[in-house]
């Protein structure tokens, strides 16, 4: 059974940075993709970014392009989300997810979810 454990959330001022990590376990991760979603209070969960394990292909939501960077460390089965120039509207619970491809994750075809980590950006 796949397990995803996120970490790195916290409270930061607007304009600041945070790096989220997601460690995956339970099977081989040489193929497929990983991604990040977020859910703000009262809103639906939305796609943020995704990356393929094999070639490192990436996809981003328009709202985070140029500010967030997704990366992976295959040896550690870990995916990162570097978040720069954070805005109050980035405040949400951030979830890690697995899928077959970056496009699949972007269209919420997700196989497994993590438990989430809170990111709060103060103005």
């Amino acid at each position: 059974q796949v397990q995803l454990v996120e970490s790195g959330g916290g409270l930061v001022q607007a304009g600041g940075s945070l790096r989220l990590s997601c460690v995956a376990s339970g099977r081989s991760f040489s193929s497929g993709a990983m991604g990040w979603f977020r859910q703000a209070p009262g809103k639906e969960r939305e796609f943020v970014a995704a990356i393929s394990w094999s070639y490192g292909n990436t996809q981003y939501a328009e709202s985070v392009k140029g500010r967030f960077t997704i990366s992976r460390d295959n040896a550690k089965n870990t995916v990162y989300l570097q978040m720069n120039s954070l805005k109050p509207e980035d405040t949400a619970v951030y979830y890690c997810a697995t899928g077959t491809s970056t496009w699949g994750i972007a269209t919420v075809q997700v196989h497994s979810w993590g438990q989430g980590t809170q990111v709060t950006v103060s103005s």
Side-chain angles (χ1 to χ4, degrees), residues 6-7 13 28 30 34 37 40 54 60 79 82-83 87 94 105 112 114 119-120 123:
E6 303 101 330
S7 62
Q13 288 189 332
S28 170
S30 59
M34 295 279 287
F37 288 76
S54 55
Y60 293 93
V79 172
Q82 177 67 43
M83 306 186 294
K87 305 175 182 180
Y94 283 71
I105 291 178
S112 302
V119 171
T120 303
S123 57

Side-chain angles (χ1 to χ4, degrees), residues 16-61:
S17 299
L18 280 175
R19 189 177 82 154
L20 306 182
S21 300
C22 175
V23 180
S25 62
R27 67 165 179 83
S28 170
F29 292 95
S30 59
S31 62
M34 295 279 287
W36 290 94
F37 288 76
R38 65 187 182 185
Q39 188 167 18
K43 295 188 176 181
E44 292 189 356
R45 193 171 298 189
E46 64 175 0
F47 168 74
V48 174
I51 187 167
S52 66
W53 280 113
S54 55
Y55 295 107
N57 301 325
T58 59
Q59 278 193 265
Y60 293 93

Side-chain angles (χ1 to χ4, degrees), residues 10 66-67 103:
R67 299 189 299 124
W103 181 254

Side-chain angles (χ1 to χ4, degrees), residues 60-69 82 84-85:
Y60 293 93
E62 286 297 325
S63 60
V64 306
K65 278 184 179 178
R67 299 189 299 124
F68 291 11
T69 302
Q82 177 67 43
N84 298 329
S85 302

